[in-house]
Amino acid sequence: MTVMNAVPEIAPPSPNPIPLTRPSAGEAELAAVAEVFRSGWLAGQGPRGTALEAGFARLTRRAHAAALNNCTAALHLALTALGTRPGDEVLVADYSFPATGHAVLYCDATPVFVDVRADTATMDPDLVEAAITPRTRGIVAVDALGMPADWGPLQEIARRHGLYLLADAACSAGGMYAGRACGSFGDVAVFSLHARKGITCGEGGVLVTDDAAIAERVRRDACFGMESAFARQSADTLPVPTFPALGYNYKLSDVLAAIGAVQLDQLDEFMSRRRVLAGRYAEMLADVPGILAPTTPGDRVSAWQTYAVTVAEPLERDAIAVALRASGIGCNIGTYALHRQEVYGPAVSDCPVSDRLFRRHLALPMYSDLTDADQDRVVETLAKIVYQQ
């Protein structure tokens, strides 16, 4: 096996490319949208949004849920509702999409990045306490790529130091930690309904919590700081909102909420297929040298939002990715080492594990409708690239 310094010469792309991801949606979602059109209520915070919220509350066994226009908005509103103030420090898992760190900046607070475990790519609890300072206000841990974080130890650390714990479960609807659903941990948890997630409505987010005051504030802040129009229309008087504080327009339309509710009803089916695909990948990749399949600790169940292999040295991850794409196979990096991103200022955090995963992770096609035959083609193509002299 040779080190790959250039894109290998391989067969022309297949006329049937295999994407990195593809939403699983069909007639049931279309019917739900048609029903919303007939209802006349297409705006946010309406009856379909309420139904989606109820579904996520059941999934996580939380007392409250709020549907929002995306997970970044959910992160922002969660941080503000948890009392994050300008000048605070918030510990953030370093291996994540930048939205996690951006939301802290939205509050004029400082994200302090904490390195992750090499096996799960999630925040390493053993490194958290050393990062705590008198300015630390809370912890934002991430279910990286759908893999649940160490919620037991993280909750204990947060409790002991009087910090809030925010669970970024953007990728992990359907995942489990210690027998409990992802999103059931922390003071607040947030989910994404982006098109790449296990369930989707294109764009969307949901926040869940057991704190009634937080839920009330999030719903108000998502609607410019006022009660929703849907709630006000049933009043016996003419309620005229006032605006004592700054709010935002973070509502999820009922059109998208209806799609999300249908998808949520299919979550078990979608997750079951993803687990089968993950198992097949692991079995087939065992024979491909230099390509290391992800592992799952026995106390958790991944949602497999992303299937990211580790490309071992001396193989070059980027060259393999270019070759896969040239063959019609979708692929990408896993996610980002946040401390490396210029938006957060000079790289002052030492996160070698996250940095290595950022350089070595390769995401392969993963979606519920991926066929066995297409998955076989993915691995066969990958193996040819690796073995090519």
Side-chain angles (χ1 to χ4, degrees), residues 308-326:
V309 299
T310 301
V311 179
E313 295 177 322
L315 294 174
E316 293 188 5
R317 189 272 311 271
D318 291 9
I320 292 175
V322 171
L324 281 170
R325 289 180 173 182

Side-chain angles (χ1 to χ4, degrees), residues 171-229:
C171 301
S172 61
M176 303 280 288
Y177 174 84
R180 288 173 52 186
C182 290
S184 65
F185 300 93
D187 299 282
V188 179
V190 296
F191 294 93
S192 173
L193 296 174
H194 180 265
R196 190 176 169 184
K197 308 309 180 201
I199 55 173
T200 182
C201 57
E203 295 281 359
V206 179
L207 178 151
V208 295
T209 183
D210 291 318
D211 189 315
I214 287 177
E216 181 181 358
R217 174 171 175 171
V218 165
R219 290 195 186 95
R220 184 184 69 237
D221 287 354
C223 189
F224 300 100
M226 65 180 179
E227 187 181 27
S228 73

Side-chain angles (χ1 to χ4, degrees), residues 133-181:
T133 74
R135 293 173 57 193
T136 304
R137 180 73 174 176
I139 302 169
V140 183
V142 181
D143 293 331
L145 311 180
M147 179 67 69
D150 289 273
W151 294 114
L154 290 170
Q155 288 192 145
E156 171 57 24
I157 293 169
R159 183 200 61 77
R160 191 172 348 113
H161 290 274
L163 307 174
Y164 64 69
L165 179 60
L166 171 55
D168 184 340
C171 301
S172 61
M176 303 280 288
Y177 174 84
R180 288 173 52 186

Side-chain angles (χ1 to χ4, degrees), residues 48-302:
R48 275 70 183 185
T50 300
L52 179 63
E53 291 170 350
F56 268 90
R58 288 192 299 271
L59 172 69
T60 59
R61 298 188 179 182
R62 294 282 205 167
H64 307 280
L68 301 161
N69 62 342
N70 56 60
C71 189
T72 308
L75 285 165
H76 182 197
L77 295 187
L79 288 166
T80 58
L82 288 164
T84 310
R85 298 183 295 269
D88 286 344
E89 291 180 353
V90 180
L91 307 187
V92 176
D94 190 68
Y95 197 57
S96 181
F97 190 75
T100 313
H102 283 19
V104 177
L105 296 184
Y106 296 162
C107 300
D108 292 322
T110 300
V112 176
F113 299 114
V114 177
D115 208 0
V116 297
R117 291 175 45 170
D119 57 346
T120 63
T122 60
M123 179 180 275
D124 189 337
D126 293 338
L127 302 177
V128 172
E129 296 205 57
I132 296 173
T133 74
R135 293 173 57 193
T136 304
R137 180 73 174 176
I139 302 169
V140 183
V142 181
D143 293 331
L145 311 180
M147 179 67 69
D150 289 273
W151 294 114
L154 290 170
Q155 288 192 145
E156 171 57 24
I157 293 169
R159 183 200 61 77
R160 191 172 348 113
H161 290 274
L163 307 174
Y164 64 69
L165 179 60
L166 171 55
D168 184 340
C171 301
S172 61
M176 303 280 288
Y177 174 84
R180 288 173 52 186
C182 290
S184 65
F185 300 93
D187 299 282
V188 179
V190 296
F191 294 93
S192 173
L193 296 174
H194 180 265
R196 190 176 169 184
K197 308 309 180 201
I199 55 173
T200 182
C201 57
E203 295 281 359
V206 179
L207 178 151
V208 295
T209 183
D210 291 318
D211 189 315
I214 287 177
E216 181 181 358
R217 174 171 175 171
V218 165
R219 290 195 186 95
R220 184 184 69 237
D221 287 354
C223 189
F224 300 100
M226 65 180 179
E227 187 181 27
S228 73
F230 187 76
R232 285 184 281 114
Q233 73 174 0
S234 60
D236 295 332
T237 60
L238 178 63
V240 179
T242 59
F243 300 87
L246 182 67
Y248 308 89
N249 186 12
Y250 285 169
K251 302 183 297 297
L252 180 69
S253 78
D254 259 31
V255 176
L256 296 183
I259 297 172
V262 172
Q263 291 267 298
L264 184 58
D265 286 343
Q266 302 174 81
L267 178 60
D268 289 345
E269 175 186 346
F270 291 162
M271 291 304 104
S272 177
R273 177 57 181 164
R274 284 175 179 259
R275 287 192 292 271
V276 169
L277 290 167
R280 294 189 82 248
Y281 265 137
E283 182 177 353
M284 291 187 290
L285 289 169
D287 297 325
V288 183
I291 303 297
L292 308 179
T295 59
T296 305
D299 62 349
R300 63 201 77 185
V301 176
S302 177

